Amino acid sequence: MLEAGQTVIPTTRSIAETGWQVLTRDDPDLGALLDAEARYQSGSLSMVASASLAPPSVLCANGTVLSNVTAEGYPGARYHPGAVHFDGIETLAVERAKQVFAARYANVQPHSCSSANLAVLAALLPRGGRLLALDLDAGGHLTHGARASVSGTYYDVARYQVGPDGTLDYGAIRDRALEHRPDVIIAGASAYPRYIDFGRFRDIADETGAFLLADISHIAGLVAAGLHPSPIDRAHITTTSTYKQLAGPRGGLILLGEDYCRTGPDGRTSLWQLMQRAVFPGFQGTPDPSSIAAKARALAIASSGDFHATMKRVVDNAQALAGELQALGYTVLTGGTDNHMVLVDAQAAGLTGIMAEQALEECGILVNRNKIPGDPLPPTVTGGLRFGTNILAQRGMGPFEVRTCAGLVHEVLSGIRVLGATHYELDGARRDAVRDRVASLCLRFPLPFERA
Ligand SMILES: *Cc1c(COP(=O)(O)O)cnc(C)c1O
């Protein structure tokens, strides 16, 4: 028992516990919403391809006293005092990132992969410089020069598409590069279910005198586990998000391989020095020390055997999901998958992406609508659905359960009565039956924070 006025030596744990006591006592509204969110995650079947479950230790590392440290700059070269422990933590995160990806340089400060991409582009491309990247509708990302992004307004962007079979056509990409003469080529996607041949991209970049940026935001876990060919020594620069397949905090990484000392566009400054400056002071001010601590934790987990086994299950599950959806009559783009992602043509099933997404959500199944190549529908509606198996695998489900999930999806989608592009009806009895089955499946495969 503490005497009044007695002080305790604070620990990370006691601070977190005190914080939760105060939050639930003084702010019951917020506390209730946070608890409701934990229950919601526990009881829903999430197949959102960009999402994954951060282990409890990652969540904890992200909410510590480190947030009280303000320190612009890098370890050993800060613009504020008092960063002695933060220096150690950032160095740990950098070393772990280098180890996990066999990289020669890592920058762990980007607040997101979007800011990492924009920082890299700003470092390599003058305003009006030429960029070549995958078209947004064909699976590219906004920051790859999409019209709605600053990357699409500051640069002269050419876009490559996927071929008729939905896969990257490297011959056509080379032709596009020879025609456009880009300064930077981006290889990487938000909605692409097949291997990306970074070596082929590098050949094209070398032939046309471009820098190659590989964006592995979606597949970083597979790359870390050796289940997707690594771009680290192929691309000049690699970026990723940390909260997607790496199951870390919100944030991004910039990684360099063999070319880290090679000079950038000015012919003088090395790429790694360019990246240091591009993130700070080029694009960001203070780093987020808590999120860097959480990145360090997630990267330690990503080098474990357990993580590798989970990533293997991610791919097995995605292939099982693709196979089962096809067997149920759905059009799976590219006929299958090599990674965690399965793209389905919703229009071919007489639906739109939005109505499928909403009907599934009503039943506790989370899958996001997505544009697919040649999609005539606007991004708010879309003709496609994007499935991912990160979370199913993290919950411990294998191909057998994933086929059950595909059956539940079919139960919902085949029960939709279409009333317009965005209007539909779903039979209430069917909805309740699916909800019950989702709930019992979720109970059998609890989340990491329910098992800790
Ligand atoms: C999600 C994504 C990003 C953006 O990542 P954020 O960390 O959410 O900003 C960038 N590139 C690709 C390919 C992505 O899929």
Side-chain angles (χ1 to χ4, degrees):
M1 209 46 172
L2 281 181
E3 302 295 328
Q6 189 179 344
T7 55
V8 288
I9 297 169
T11 62
T12 301
R13 181 188 184 127
S14 69
I15 294 164
E17 282 168 359
T18 307
W20 280 110
Q21 278 166 19
V22 173
L23 192 150
T24 45
R25 185 192 64 208
D26 292 356
D27 199 342
D29 292 346
L30 179 59
L33 283 166
L34 290 168
D35 287 345
E37 175 60 25
R39 283 194 303 277
Y40 180 74
Q41 290 182 18
S42 157
S44 15
L45 209 52
S46 173
M47 290 186 263
V48 174
S50 46
S52 71
L53 303 166
S57 62
V58 171
L59 298 177
C60 277
N62 204 4
T64 70
V65 288
L66 211 54
S67 289
N68 303 338
V69 178
T70 291
E72 280 177 333
Y74 290 99
R78 303 284 186 191
Y79 289 82
H80 301 85
V84 50
H85 299 295
F86 176 37
D87 277 6
I89 287 165
E90 183 169 349
T91 304
L92 196 61
V94 167
E95 289 309 317
R96 288 177 180 178
K98 283 160 63 179
Q99 191 255 325
V100 165
F101 290 100
R104 308 292 285 274
Y105 164 90
N107 192 311
V108 299
Q109 292 197 3
H111 297 321
S112 68
C113 188
S114 295
S115 39
N117 284 346
L118 296 174
V120 171
L121 290 178
L124 296 180
L125 273 180
R127 210 168 158 157
R130 290 187 304 276
L131 175 65
L132 175 65
L134 181 61
D135 185 61
L136 184 65
D137 288 1
H141 189 258
L142 283 166
T143 55
H144 298 183
R147 288 173 188 85
S149 155
V150 288
S151 62
T153 53
Y154 283 19
Y155 306 119
D156 172 9
V157 185
R159 300 173 180 90
Y160 55 87
Q161 307 293 330
V162 288
D165 66 354
T167 66
L168 292 170
D169 175 347
Y170 296 92
I173 296 167
R174 176 174 173 271
D175 292 344
R176 200 86 182 87
L178 289 168
E179 184 189 326
H180 187 62
R181 291 278 159 189
D183 303 295
V184 174
I185 299 175
I186 305 181
S190 297
Y192 185 69
R194 293 300 182 175
Y195 288 134
I196 296 174
D197 189 339
F198 296 111
R200 291 289 293 280
F201 268 107
R202 179 57 184 262
D203 292 342
I204 296 166
D206 284 345
E207 187 181 353
T208 55
F211 286 101
L212 177 63
L213 165 61
D215 176 348
I216 57 167
S217 188
H218 259 271
I219 54 170
L222 299 181
V223 170
L227 295 168
H228 188 292
S230 171
I232 300 294
D233 287 329
R234 299 281 168 274
H236 295 93
I237 295 167
T238 298
T239 55
T240 182
S241 303
T242 47
Y243 68 92
K244 293 184 184 170
Q245 219 164 32
L246 287 177
R250 299 277 136 185
L253 299 175
I254 299 176
L255 302 158
L256 307 186
E258 278 171 3
D259 283 320
Y260 77 116
C261 279
R262 190 189 148 128
T263 54
D266 67 358
R268 289 193 318 274
T269 318
S270 65
L271 288 176
W272 78 267
Q273 285 170 316
L274 275 176
M275 291 305 111
Q276 287 287 95
R277 292 181 204 163
V279 176
F280 173 82
F283 227 82
Q284 292 183 177
T286 53
D288 175 356
S290 278
S291 117
I292 289 173
K295 286 174 190 176
R297 180 69 202 127
L299 288 161
I301 294 171
S303 64
S304 70
D306 271 2
F307 183 84
H308 288 207
T310 302
M311 288 301 114
K312 172 80 173 66
R313 210 158 49 234
V314 163
V315 177
D316 291 346
N317 285 353
Q319 290 174 348
L321 181 65
E324 190 67 12
L325 288 171
Q326 271 177 322
L328 290 165
Y330 294 93
T331 304
V332 170
L333 273 64
T334 79
T337 179
D338 299 323
N339 57 29
H340 63 303
M341 206 185 280
V342 177
L343 296 175
V344 166
D345 186 340
Q347 279 200 293
L351 307 169
T352 60
I354 181 73
M355 68 173 64
E357 176 187 302
Q358 288 180 349
L360 289 166
E361 187 180 19
E362 278 188 55
C363 300
I365 301 173
L366 307 180
V367 173
N368 82 285
R369 65 184 180 276
N370 217 91
K371 294 275 278 184
I372 52 176
D375 199 331
L377 299 172
T380 47
V381 180
T382 84
L385 280 177
R386 186 181 67 167
F387 294 76
T389 52
N390 294 341
I391 292 181
L392 301 185
Q394 289 178 310
R395 294 186 88 129
M397 293 185 199
F400 178 80
E401 288 80 24
V402 165
R403 282 190 277 273
T404 304
C405 296
L408 291 169
V409 166
H410 181 56
E411 192 71 20
V412 178
L413 298 187
S414 60
I416 291 176
R417 209 159 70 80
V418 178
L419 304 173
T422 57
H423 290 83
Y424 70 93
E425 260 174 18
L426 187 65
D427 173 59
R430 188 184 292 231
R431 185 191 60 216
D432 294 344
V434 173
R435 269 192 194 162
D436 283 350
R437 290 178 61 202
V438 165
S440 60
L441 189 60
C442 288
L443 269 180
R444 283 174 47 222
F445 293 92
L447 302 188
F449 60 70
E450 298 172 295
R451 279 183 265 140

